[in-house]
Amino acid sequence: MAYSTLPLAVLIVSAVVSTVNCGLQLQFKSSVDSNWPGLMNNLALTVAIDGDHFRTDENYEPAETSVRFWCGNRNRRELRLVQTDSNDIKVKIDTNKPVMFIIHGWMDNYTSHWVQDTVNDALSFLDVNVCAVDWANLAHYEYSATVDHTPIVSDQATKFIKIMIELGMPPNSITLVGHDMGAHICGQIGHNCNGDVGQIYGLDPAGPLFTTPSGGSLAFRLDKSDAKYVQFIITAKGTAGVSVGEGDENFYVNGGSSPQPNCGSITINTGDAEFAKILLCSHYHAYTLFRLSMNPLLVYPARLCSSWADYNAGRCLFNRMSRTGIYSIKLGGDYYLRTTALAPFIMF
């Protein structure tokens, strides 16, 4: 893997993030919930570019311009900025076809490789409108401040979606795809729409502050009440990502934990920088698998099972199977699968 392709353009400020004084791996193992935001900042600090910093001002643009929607379809693949306005939406979006929203996470932006690749693959394999949601102006703050910004994003996206519904698009034709905090923004949007949207795919939804008592409200995080169908793809369980999937179907890739096979291995001697890169690589693996799974020829089969231990012991061999991603059988349950270390990661 080329770590330079990772989309986390991490920014730091010493006034917000303390220097990592002990091994990052040890901090993650021994931490309690209240320490997780600081740990995420330390993780960012460890892989940061020299001289960069978190945004610290709260003088960002109004919500209407801080959250932007870049949309296209097969008739016009180049993404165009679409205003939250019925006239602009009517001109630039074909409301007779379904729409897929793709929402990035913390320290990311809509121009990152995974978002653009997902847009292109969706337009290649699905006859849909695709809208990339750009909330980078709100996403490049330290971890807890960015969490506080997520309702601003979901409120703007909810307005956009409700206009499309008023223009005749059936709620069931709306799909939301989000990575990291973007997954919970999808959940907030779904909650705002009374769970009427068709599908939500949460790609390793962020764990810290979304599953603790202070951030555990179902209105704030993604869960299966937010859409007609909700799928979790979990690849960095209990660290950057959630510990437990709360979707209709939950796919635990290689047990759901870091390190994923394509990201390297962690030993007692693994340094902080390498540990951070491996953990983030695992966190990003969820969106890679989702994107690849849109190609109907690439199948990531998973088996219904109660645990990774039972899966490895062969106790689930006769249980039903499903496909990871949009071609899932959508019958519900927890599924486990293996992937390989090399793209396209399919285990034959």
mmCIF file of all heavy atoms in Angstrom, residues 126-175:
data_model
loop_
_atom_site.group_PDB
_atom_site.id
_atom_site.type_symbol
_atom_site.label_atom_id
_atom_site.label_comp_id
_atom_site.label_asym_id
_atom_site.label_seq_id
_atom_site.Cartn_x
_atom_site.Cartn_y
_atom_site.Cartn_z
ATOM 1 N N LEU A 126 -23.967 1.870 -12.087
ATOM 2 C CA LEU A 126 -25.340 2.128 -11.652
ATOM 3 C C LEU A 126 -25.888 3.316 -12.428
ATOM 4 O O LEU A 126 -25.187 4.299 -12.651
ATOM 5 C CB LEU A 126 -25.369 2.453 -10.155
ATOM 6 C CG LEU A 126 -24.669 1.464 -9.210
ATOM 7 C CD1 LEU A 126 -24.590 2.059 -7.812
ATOM 8 C CD2 LEU A 126 -25.391 0.125 -9.195
ATOM 9 N N ASP A 127 -27.131 3.239 -12.814
ATOM 10 C CA ASP A 127 -27.765 4.347 -13.543
ATOM 11 C C ASP A 127 -28.414 5.281 -12.529
ATOM 12 O O ASP A 127 -29.622 5.252 -12.305
ATOM 13 C CB ASP A 127 -28.791 3.807 -14.539
ATOM 14 C CG ASP A 127 -29.295 4.897 -15.484
ATOM 15 O OD1 ASP A 127 -28.715 5.995 -15.494
ATOM 16 O OD2 ASP A 127 -30.293 4.643 -16.197
ATOM 17 N N VAL A 128 -27.573 6.112 -11.900
ATOM 18 C CA VAL A 128 -28.029 6.961 -10.800
ATOM 19 C C VAL A 128 -27.443 8.357 -10.931
ATOM 20 O O VAL A 128 -26.479 8.590 -11.671
ATOM 21 C CB VAL A 128 -27.615 6.375 -9.432
ATOM 22 C CG1 VAL A 128 -28.256 5.026 -9.190
ATOM 23 C CG2 VAL A 128 -26.081 6.281 -9.312
ATOM 24 N N ASN A 129 -28.023 9.299 -10.206
ATOM 25 C CA ASN A 129 -27.350 10.555 -9.906
ATOM 26 C C ASN A 129 -26.389 10.280 -8.751
ATOM 27 O O ASN A 129 -26.677 9.470 -7.864
ATOM 28 C CB ASN A 129 -28.347 11.612 -9.446
ATOM 29 C CG ASN A 129 -29.435 11.898 -10.458
ATOM 30 O OD1 ASN A 129 -29.218 12.604 -11.433
ATOM 31 N ND2 ASN A 129 -30.634 11.351 -10.228
ATOM 32 N N VAL A 130 -25.253 10.954 -8.748
ATOM 33 C CA VAL A 130 -24.320 10.848 -7.632
ATOM 34 C C VAL A 130 -23.992 12.255 -7.146
ATOM 35 O O VAL A 130 -23.660 13.136 -7.942
ATOM 36 C CB VAL A 130 -23.024 10.128 -8.030
ATOM 37 C CG1 VAL A 130 -22.076 10.049 -6.840
ATOM 38 C CG2 VAL A 130 -23.322 8.719 -8.532
ATOM 39 N N CYS A 131 -24.093 12.456 -5.834
ATOM 40 C CA CYS A 131 -23.756 13.747 -5.236
ATOM 41 C C CYS A 131 -22.686 13.541 -4.164
ATOM 42 O O CYS A 131 -22.911 12.828 -3.182
ATOM 43 C CB CYS A 131 -24.980 14.399 -4.605
ATOM 44 S SG CYS A 131 -26.236 14.939 -5.787
ATOM 45 N N ALA A 132 -21.523 14.140 -4.378
ATOM 46 C CA ALA A 132 -20.468 14.134 -3.365
ATOM 47 C C ALA A 132 -20.683 15.335 -2.453
ATOM 48 O O ALA A 132 -20.785 16.470 -2.932
ATOM 49 C CB ALA A 132 -19.096 14.197 -4.020
ATOM 50 N N VAL A 133 -20.779 15.082 -1.163
ATOM 51 C CA VAL A 133 -21.026 16.147 -0.188
ATOM 52 C C VAL A 133 -19.685 16.645 0.342
ATOM 53 O O VAL A 133 -18.916 15.884 0.932
ATOM 54 C CB VAL A 133 -21.903 15.644 0.968
ATOM 55 C CG1 VAL A 133 -22.176 16.772 1.971
ATOM 56 C CG2 VAL A 133 -23.218 15.070 0.426
ATOM 57 N N ASP A 134 -19.411 17.915 0.132
ATOM 58 C CA ASP A 134 -18.145 18.516 0.557
ATOM 59 C C ASP A 134 -18.381 19.349 1.818
ATOM 60 O O ASP A 134 -19.014 20.397 1.762
ATOM 61 C CB ASP A 134 -17.585 19.387 -0.565
ATOM 62 C CG ASP A 134 -16.260 20.053 -0.170
ATOM 63 O OD1 ASP A 134 -15.618 19.556 0.778
ATOM 64 O OD2 ASP A 134 -15.886 21.047 -0.806
ATOM 65 N N TRP A 135 -17.850 18.850 2.945
ATOM 66 C CA TRP A 135 -17.942 19.632 4.180
ATOM 67 C C TRP A 135 -16.558 19.829 4.795
ATOM 68 O O TRP A 135 -16.389 19.972 6.003
ATOM 69 C CB TRP A 135 -18.901 18.973 5.174
ATOM 70 C CG TRP A 135 -18.554 17.579 5.643
ATOM 71 C CD1 TRP A 135 -18.636 16.419 4.932
ATOM 72 C CD2 TRP A 135 -18.090 17.212 6.961
ATOM 73 N NE1 TRP A 135 -18.232 15.352 5.718
ATOM 74 C CE2 TRP A 135 -17.915 15.810 6.961
ATOM 75 C CE3 TRP A 135 -17.825 17.938 8.129
ATOM 76 C CZ2 TRP A 135 -17.475 15.102 8.092
ATOM 77 C CZ3 TRP A 135 -17.385 17.229 9.251
ATOM 78 C CH2 TRP A 135 -17.220 15.834 9.220
ATOM 79 N N ALA A 136 -15.546 19.917 3.911
ATOM 80 C CA ALA A 136 -14.160 20.040 4.361
ATOM 81 C C ALA A 136 -13.939 21.265 5.250
ATOM 82 O O ALA A 136 -13.110 21.235 6.171
ATOM 83 C CB ALA A 136 -13.220 20.085 3.163
ATOM 84 N N ASN A 137 -14.660 22.355 4.987
ATOM 85 C CA ASN A 137 -14.488 23.567 5.795
ATOM 86 C C ASN A 137 -14.861 23.357 7.253
ATOM 87 O O ASN A 137 -14.451 24.133 8.124
ATOM 88 C CB ASN A 137 -15.326 24.710 5.223
ATOM 89 C CG ASN A 137 -14.760 25.252 3.928
ATOM 90 O OD1 ASN A 137 -13.599 25.036 3.615
ATOM 91 N ND2 ASN A 137 -15.586 25.939 3.161
ATOM 92 N N LEU A 138 -15.639 22.323 7.524
ATOM 93 C CA LEU A 138 -16.048 22.004 8.892
ATOM 94 C C LEU A 138 -15.349 20.775 9.439
ATOM 95 O O LEU A 138 -15.439 20.489 10.638
ATOM 96 C CB LEU A 138 -17.571 21.786 8.948
ATOM 97 C CG LEU A 138 -18.446 22.967 8.543
ATOM 98 C CD1 LEU A 138 -19.907 22.534 8.421
ATOM 99 C CD2 LEU A 138 -18.314 24.102 9.549
ATOM 100 N N ALA A 139 -14.662 20.039 8.576
ATOM 101 C CA ALA A 139 -14.094 18.743 8.952
ATOM 102 C C ALA A 139 -12.644 18.819 9.411
ATOM 103 O O ALA A 139 -12.122 17.849 9.956
ATOM 104 C CB ALA A 139 -14.196 17.773 7.771
ATOM 105 N N HIS A 140 -11.988 19.959 9.220
ATOM 106 C CA HIS A 140 -10.567 20.049 9.496
ATOM 107 C C HIS A 140 -10.271 20.764 10.820
ATOM 108 O O HIS A 140 -9.366 21.592 10.915
ATOM 109 C CB HIS A 140 -9.847 20.728 8.327
ATOM 110 C CG HIS A 140 -9.763 19.841 7.125
ATOM 111 N ND1 HIS A 140 -8.599 19.238 6.721
ATOM 112 C CD2 HIS A 140 -10.723 19.415 6.265
ATOM 113 C CE1 HIS A 140 -8.834 18.493 5.654
ATOM 114 N NE2 HIS A 140 -10.115 18.591 5.356
ATOM 115 N N TYR A 141 -11.043 20.392 11.835
ATOM 116 C CA TYR A 141 -10.828 20.858 13.206
ATOM 117 C C TYR A 141 -10.408 19.658 14.050
ATOM 118 O O TYR A 141 -10.446 18.516 13.583
ATOM 119 C CB TYR A 141 -12.113 21.482 13.767
ATOM 120 C CG TYR A 141 -12.477 22.803 13.135
ATOM 121 C CD1 TYR A 141 -13.065 22.856 11.877
ATOM 122 C CD2 TYR A 141 -12.230 24.007 13.796
ATOM 123 C CE1 TYR A 141 -13.392 24.070 11.288
ATOM 124 C CE2 TYR A 141 -12.562 25.229 13.213
ATOM 125 C CZ TYR A 141 -13.142 25.251 11.963
ATOM 126 O OH TYR A 141 -13.463 26.455 11.383
ATOM 127 N N GLU A 142 -9.988 19.918 15.296
ATOM 128 C CA GLU A 142 -9.661 18.779 16.143
ATOM 129 C C GLU A 142 -10.916 17.931 16.335
ATOM 130 O O GLU A 142 -12.035 18.360 16.060
ATOM 131 C CB GLU A 142 -9.050 19.241 17.469
ATOM 132 C CG GLU A 142 -9.906 20.160 18.314
ATOM 133 C CD GLU A 142 -10.786 19.399 19.279
ATOM 134 O OE1 GLU A 142 -10.513 18.217 19.553
ATOM 135 O OE2 GLU A 142 -11.775 19.993 19.738
ATOM 136 N N TYR A 143 -10.701 16.707 16.792
ATOM 137 C CA TYR A 143 -11.731 15.672 16.689
ATOM 138 C C TYR A 143 -13.077 16.081 17.306
ATOM 139 O O TYR A 143 -14.119 16.021 16.642
ATOM 140 C CB TYR A 143 -11.236 14.378 17.330
ATOM 141 C CG TYR A 143 -12.123 13.187 17.054
ATOM 142 C CD1 TYR A 143 -11.918 12.398 15.932
ATOM 143 C CD2 TYR A 143 -13.177 12.865 17.907
ATOM 144 C CE1 TYR A 143 -12.728 11.308 15.661
ATOM 145 C CE2 TYR A 143 -13.998 11.779 17.644
ATOM 146 C CZ TYR A 143 -13.771 11.003 16.522
ATOM 147 O OH TYR A 143 -14.604 9.931 16.256
ATOM 148 N N SER A 144 -13.080 16.496 18.566
ATOM 149 C CA SER A 144 -14.356 16.764 19.232
ATOM 150 C C SER A 144 -15.081 17.954 18.623
ATOM 151 O O SER A 144 -16.314 17.965 18.538
ATOM 152 C CB SER A 144 -14.143 16.992 20.738
ATOM 153 O OG SER A 144 -13.278 18.093 20.962
ATOM 154 N N ALA A 145 -14.337 18.969 18.167
ATOM 155 C CA ALA A 145 -14.972 20.117 17.514
ATOM 156 C C ALA A 145 -15.622 19.689 16.206
ATOM 157 O O ALA A 145 -16.718 20.158 15.863
ATOM 158 C CB ALA A 145 -13.949 21.218 17.262
ATOM 159 N N THR A 146 -14.975 18.789 15.478
ATOM 160 C CA THR A 146 -15.554 18.311 14.226
ATOM 161 C C THR A 146 -16.822 17.507 14.479
ATOM 162 O O THR A 146 -17.795 17.621 13.727
ATOM 163 C CB THR A 146 -14.520 17.463 13.453
ATOM 164 O OG1 THR A 146 -13.325 18.225 13.271
ATOM 165 C CG2 THR A 146 -15.058 17.064 12.090
ATOM 166 N N VAL A 147 -16.821 16.707 15.537
ATOM 167 C CA VAL A 147 -18.047 15.986 15.910
ATOM 168 C C VAL A 147 -19.195 16.967 16.105
ATOM 169 O O VAL A 147 -20.324 16.739 15.639
ATOM 170 C CB VAL A 147 -17.823 15.155 17.194
ATOM 171 C CG1 VAL A 147 -19.151 14.592 17.711
ATOM 172 C CG2 VAL A 147 -16.836 14.019 16.938
ATOM 173 N N ASP A 148 -18.914 18.090 16.763
ATOM 174 C CA ASP A 148 -19.953 19.093 17.011
ATOM 175 C C ASP A 148 -20.468 19.723 15.718
ATOM 176 O O ASP A 148 -21.580 20.258 15.681
ATOM 177 C CB ASP A 148 -19.421 20.196 17.926
ATOM 178 C CG ASP A 148 -19.168 19.723 19.352
ATOM 179 O OD1 ASP A 148 -19.747 18.685 19.738
ATOM 180 O OD2 ASP A 148 -18.392 20.379 20.067
ATOM 181 N N HIS A 149 -19.662 19.670 14.654
ATOM 182 C CA HIS A 149 -20.080 20.259 13.383
ATOM 183 C C HIS A 149 -20.979 19.342 12.551
ATOM 184 O O HIS A 149 -21.612 19.811 11.607
ATOM 185 C CB HIS A 149 -18.843 20.603 12.542
ATOM 186 C CG HIS A 149 -17.997 21.687 13.127
ATOM 187 N ND1 HIS A 149 -16.677 21.883 12.748
ATOM 188 C CD2 HIS A 149 -18.271 22.643 14.056
ATOM 189 C CE1 HIS A 149 -16.186 22.909 13.425
ATOM 190 N NE2 HIS A 149 -17.124 23.381 14.224
ATOM 191 N N THR A 150 -21.020 18.058 12.892
ATOM 192 C CA THR A 150 -21.755 17.130 12.020
ATOM 193 C C THR A 150 -23.240 17.470 11.857
ATOM 194 O O THR A 150 -23.779 17.296 10.757
ATOM 195 C CB THR A 150 -21.577 15.670 12.481
ATOM 196 O OG1 THR A 150 -22.072 15.509 13.831
ATOM 197 C CG2 THR A 150 -20.116 15.245 12.403
ATOM 198 N N PRO A 151 -23.944 17.971 12.889
ATOM 199 C CA PRO A 151 -25.354 18.324 12.660
ATOM 200 C C PRO A 151 -25.539 19.456 11.653
ATOM 201 O O PRO A 151 -26.591 19.534 11.001
ATOM 202 C CB PRO A 151 -25.853 18.736 14.053
ATOM 203 C CG PRO A 151 -24.944 18.034 15.003
ATOM 204 C CD PRO A 151 -23.602 18.061 14.326
ATOM 205 N N ILE A 152 -24.551 20.346 11.531
ATOM 206 C CA ILE A 152 -24.640 21.410 10.525
ATOM 207 C C ILE A 152 -24.691 20.785 9.137
ATOM 208 O O ILE A 152 -25.500 21.183 8.275
ATOM 209 C CB ILE A 152 -23.436 22.372 10.629
ATOM 210 C CG1 ILE A 152 -23.375 23.032 12.007
ATOM 211 C CG2 ILE A 152 -23.487 23.421 9.524
ATOM 212 C CD1 ILE A 152 -22.114 23.850 12.240
ATOM 213 N N VAL A 153 -23.854 19.760 8.926
ATOM 214 C CA VAL A 153 -23.799 19.090 7.637
ATOM 215 C C VAL A 153 -25.091 18.335 7.373
ATOM 216 O O VAL A 153 -25.683 18.432 6.283
ATOM 217 C CB VAL A 153 -22.601 18.125 7.576
ATOM 218 C CG1 VAL A 153 -22.451 17.539 6.179
ATOM 219 C CG2 VAL A 153 -21.316 18.816 8.004
ATOM 220 N N SER A 154 -25.546 17.579 8.359
ATOM 221 C CA SER A 154 -26.756 16.779 8.155
ATOM 222 C C SER A 154 -27.988 17.653 7.948
ATOM 223 O O SER A 154 -28.880 17.298 7.167
ATOM 224 C CB SER A 154 -26.972 15.819 9.328
ATOM 225 O OG SER A 154 -27.092 16.496 10.554
ATOM 226 N N ASP A 155 -28.050 18.792 8.608
ATOM 227 C CA ASP A 155 -29.190 19.695 8.410
ATOM 228 C C ASP A 155 -29.232 20.216 6.971
ATOM 229 O O ASP A 155 -30.300 20.274 6.349
ATOM 230 C CB ASP A 155 -29.118 20.877 9.380
ATOM 231 C CG ASP A 155 -29.492 20.491 10.798
ATOM 232 O OD1 ASP A 155 -29.994 19.363 11.000
ATOM 233 O OD2 ASP A 155 -29.269 21.304 11.721
ATOM 234 N N GLN A 156 -28.064 20.584 6.433
ATOM 235 C CA GLN A 156 -28.029 21.076 5.054
ATOM 236 C C GLN A 156 -28.383 19.967 4.059
ATOM 237 O O GLN A 156 -29.123 20.198 3.095
ATOM 238 C CB GLN A 156 -26.640 21.644 4.730
ATOM 239 C CG GLN A 156 -26.371 23.003 5.352
ATOM 240 C CD GLN A 156 -27.382 24.049 4.914
ATOM 241 O OE1 GLN A 156 -28.183 24.531 5.718
ATOM 242 N NE2 GLN A 156 -27.382 24.402 3.641
ATOM 243 N N ALA A 157 -27.855 18.779 4.297
ATOM 244 C CA ALA A 157 -28.161 17.662 3.406
ATOM 245 C C ALA A 157 -29.642 17.279 3.495
ATOM 246 O O ALA A 157 -30.262 16.921 2.489
ATOM 247 C CB ALA A 157 -27.292 16.464 3.750
ATOM 248 N N THR A 158 -30.209 17.379 4.683
ATOM 249 C CA THR A 158 -31.637 17.082 4.844
ATOM 250 C C THR A 158 -32.483 18.053 4.026
ATOM 251 O O THR A 158 -33.451 17.655 3.357
ATOM 252 C CB THR A 158 -32.035 17.156 6.328
ATOM 253 O OG1 THR A 158 -31.269 16.204 7.071
ATOM 254 C CG2 THR A 158 -33.517 16.856 6.503
ATOM 255 N N LYS A 159 -32.127 19.342 4.056
ATOM 256 C CA LYS A 159 -32.854 20.338 3.245
ATOM 257 C C LYS A 159 -32.784 19.973 1.764
ATOM 258 O O LYS A 159 -33.795 20.038 1.046
ATOM 259 C CB LYS A 159 -32.258 21.733 3.465
ATOM 260 C CG LYS A 159 -32.478 22.321 4.852
ATOM 261 C CD LYS A 159 -31.786 23.679 4.977
ATOM 262 C CE LYS A 159 -31.923 24.243 6.379
ATOM 263 N NZ LYS A 159 -31.196 25.535 6.536
ATOM 264 N N PHE A 160 -31.602 19.594 1.323
ATOM 265 C CA PHE A 160 -31.385 19.230 -0.072
ATOM 266 C C PHE A 160 -32.272 18.044 -0.455
ATOM 267 O O PHE A 160 -32.959 18.057 -1.485
ATOM 268 C CB PHE A 160 -29.910 18.877 -0.262
ATOM 269 C CG PHE A 160 -29.453 18.809 -1.688
ATOM 270 C CD1 PHE A 160 -28.821 19.894 -2.281
ATOM 271 C CD2 PHE A 160 -29.628 17.664 -2.432
ATOM 272 C CE1 PHE A 160 -28.382 19.829 -3.605
ATOM 273 C CE2 PHE A 160 -29.193 17.582 -3.746
ATOM 274 C CZ PHE A 160 -28.571 18.675 -4.338
ATOM 275 N N ILE A 161 -32.280 17.028 0.379
ATOM 276 C CA ILE A 161 -33.051 15.812 0.099
ATOM 277 C C ILE A 161 -34.544 16.083 0.130
ATOM 278 O O ILE A 161 -35.303 15.573 -0.717
ATOM 279 C CB ILE A 161 -32.652 14.715 1.104
ATOM 280 C CG1 ILE A 161 -31.261 14.192 0.756
ATOM 281 C CG2 ILE A 161 -33.671 13.575 1.113
ATOM 282 C CD1 ILE A 161 -30.663 13.268 1.793
ATOM 283 N N LYS A 162 -34.993 16.890 1.064
ATOM 284 C CA LYS A 162 -36.433 17.170 1.143
ATOM 285 C C LYS A 162 -36.921 17.950 -0.073
ATOM 286 O O LYS A 162 -38.064 17.759 -0.522
ATOM 287 C CB LYS A 162 -36.748 17.915 2.447
ATOM 288 C CG LYS A 162 -36.658 16.994 3.668
ATOM 289 C CD LYS A 162 -37.092 17.682 4.957
ATOM 290 C CE LYS A 162 -37.119 16.691 6.105
ATOM 291 N NZ LYS A 162 -37.540 17.316 7.389
ATOM 292 N N ILE A 163 -36.067 18.779 -0.644
ATOM 293 C CA ILE A 163 -36.433 19.464 -1.884
ATOM 294 C C ILE A 163 -36.584 18.441 -3.011
ATOM 295 O O ILE A 163 -37.537 18.496 -3.796
ATOM 296 C CB ILE A 163 -35.397 20.537 -2.257
ATOM 297 C CG1 ILE A 163 -35.444 21.692 -1.251
ATOM 298 C CG2 ILE A 163 -35.645 21.066 -3.672
ATOM 299 C CD1 ILE A 163 -34.336 22.718 -1.433
ATOM 300 N N MET A 164 -35.661 17.481 -3.095
ATOM 301 C CA MET A 164 -35.761 16.452 -4.127
ATOM 302 C C MET A 164 -37.036 15.628 -3.968
ATOM 303 O O MET A 164 -37.687 15.278 -4.961
ATOM 304 C CB MET A 164 -34.535 15.538 -4.087
ATOM 305 C CG MET A 164 -33.272 16.197 -4.606
ATOM 306 S SD MET A 164 -31.973 15.010 -4.988
ATOM 307 C CE MET A 164 -31.763 14.260 -3.393
ATOM 308 N N ILE A 165 -37.393 15.327 -2.738
ATOM 309 C CA ILE A 165 -38.630 14.576 -2.498
ATOM 310 C C ILE A 165 -39.835 15.396 -2.936
ATOM 311 O O ILE A 165 -40.782 14.881 -3.559
ATOM 312 C CB ILE A 165 -38.725 14.170 -1.009
ATOM 313 C CG1 ILE A 165 -37.626 13.151 -0.673
ATOM 314 C CG2 ILE A 165 -40.102 13.597 -0.695
ATOM 315 C CD1 ILE A 165 -37.514 12.825 0.798
ATOM 316 N N GLU A 166 -39.822 16.701 -2.648
ATOM 317 C CA GLU A 166 -40.910 17.580 -3.085
ATOM 318 C C GLU A 166 -41.007 17.640 -4.602
ATOM 319 O O GLU A 166 -42.100 17.825 -5.162
ATOM 320 C CB GLU A 166 -40.699 18.988 -2.521
ATOM 321 C CG GLU A 166 -40.887 19.087 -1.011
ATOM 322 C CD GLU A 166 -40.462 20.443 -0.467
ATOM 323 O OE1 GLU A 166 -40.026 21.296 -1.273
ATOM 324 O OE2 GLU A 166 -40.557 20.644 0.763
ATOM 325 N N LEU A 167 -39.861 17.453 -5.282
ATOM 326 C CA LEU A 167 -39.841 17.470 -6.743
ATOM 327 C C LEU A 167 -40.235 16.122 -7.347
ATOM 328 O O LEU A 167 -40.227 15.964 -8.563
ATOM 329 C CB LEU A 167 -38.448 17.871 -7.243
ATOM 330 C CG LEU A 167 -38.032 19.317 -6.961
ATOM 331 C CD1 LEU A 167 -36.572 19.537 -7.336
ATOM 332 C CD2 LEU A 167 -38.930 20.298 -7.721
ATOM 333 N N GLY A 168 -40.569 15.172 -6.499
ATOM 334 C CA GLY A 168 -41.101 13.904 -6.998
ATOM 335 C C GLY A 168 -40.209 12.696 -6.835
ATOM 336 O O GLY A 168 -40.595 11.589 -7.243
ATOM 337 N N MET A 169 -39.016 12.836 -6.255
ATOM 338 C CA MET A 169 -38.153 11.669 -6.076
ATOM 339 C C MET A 169 -38.641 10.846 -4.891
ATOM 340 O O MET A 169 -38.763 11.361 -3.777
ATOM 341 C CB MET A 169 -36.704 12.084 -5.854
ATOM 342 C CG MET A 169 -35.772 10.889 -5.659
ATOM 343 S SD MET A 169 -34.018 11.352 -5.628
ATOM 344 C CE MET A 169 -33.738 11.722 -7.363
ATOM 345 N N PRO A 170 -38.907 9.545 -5.089
ATOM 346 C CA PRO A 170 -39.346 8.705 -3.967
ATOM 347 C C PRO A 170 -38.234 8.564 -2.927
ATOM 348 O O PRO A 170 -37.057 8.366 -3.300
ATOM 349 C CB PRO A 170 -39.629 7.352 -4.634
ATOM 350 C CG PRO A 170 -39.751 7.637 -6.094
ATOM 351 C CD PRO A 170 -38.864 8.802 -6.354
ATOM 352 N N PRO A 171 -38.533 8.681 -1.645
ATOM 353 C CA PRO A 171 -37.497 8.534 -0.611
ATOM 354 C C PRO A 171 -36.722 7.223 -0.726
ATOM 355 O O PRO A 171 -35.528 7.167 -0.430
ATOM 356 C CB PRO A 171 -38.292 8.608 0.697
ATOM 357 C CG PRO A 171 -39.509 9.393 0.350
ATOM 358 C CD PRO A 171 -39.848 9.017 -1.064
ATOM 359 N N ASN A 172 -37.406 6.167 -1.193
ATOM 360 C CA ASN A 172 -36.754 4.873 -1.310
ATOM 361 C C ASN A 172 -35.666 4.868 -2.384
ATOM 362 O O ASN A 172 -34.827 3.972 -2.436
ATOM 363 C CB ASN A 172 -37.789 3.788 -1.615
ATOM 364 C CG ASN A 172 -37.240 2.402 -1.366
ATOM 365 O OD1 ASN A 172 -36.707 2.111 -0.291
ATOM 366 N ND2 ASN A 172 -37.349 1.534 -2.356
ATOM 367 N N SER A 173 -35.661 5.883 -3.253
ATOM 368 C CA SER A 173 -34.652 5.975 -4.313
ATOM 369 C C SER A 173 -33.387 6.698 -3.856
ATOM 370 O O SER A 173 -32.485 6.927 -4.659
ATOM 371 C CB SER A 173 -35.239 6.719 -5.524
ATOM 372 O OG SER A 173 -36.292 5.986 -6.097
ATOM 373 N N ILE A 174 -33.335 7.046 -2.583
ATOM 374 C CA ILE A 174 -32.198 7.797 -2.046
ATOM 375 C C ILE A 174 -31.276 6.863 -1.272
ATOM 376 O O ILE A 174 -31.705 6.133 -0.374
ATOM 377 C CB ILE A 174 -32.686 8.936 -1.136
ATOM 378 C CG1 ILE A 174 -33.523 9.931 -1.945
ATOM 379 C CG2 ILE A 174 -31.508 9.639 -0.458
ATOM 380 C CD1 ILE A 174 -34.280 10.937 -1.108
ATOM 381 N N THR A 175 -30.001 6.866 -1.638
ATOM 382 C CA THR A 175 -28.971 6.072 -0.952
ATOM 383 C C THR A 175 -27.932 7.020 -0.368
ATOM 384 O O THR A 175 -27.469 7.944 -1.037
ATOM 385 C CB THR A 175 -28.281 5.098 -1.928
ATOM 386 O OG1 THR A 175 -29.247 4.158 -2.417
ATOM 387 C CG2 THR A 175 -27.153 4.343 -1.242
#
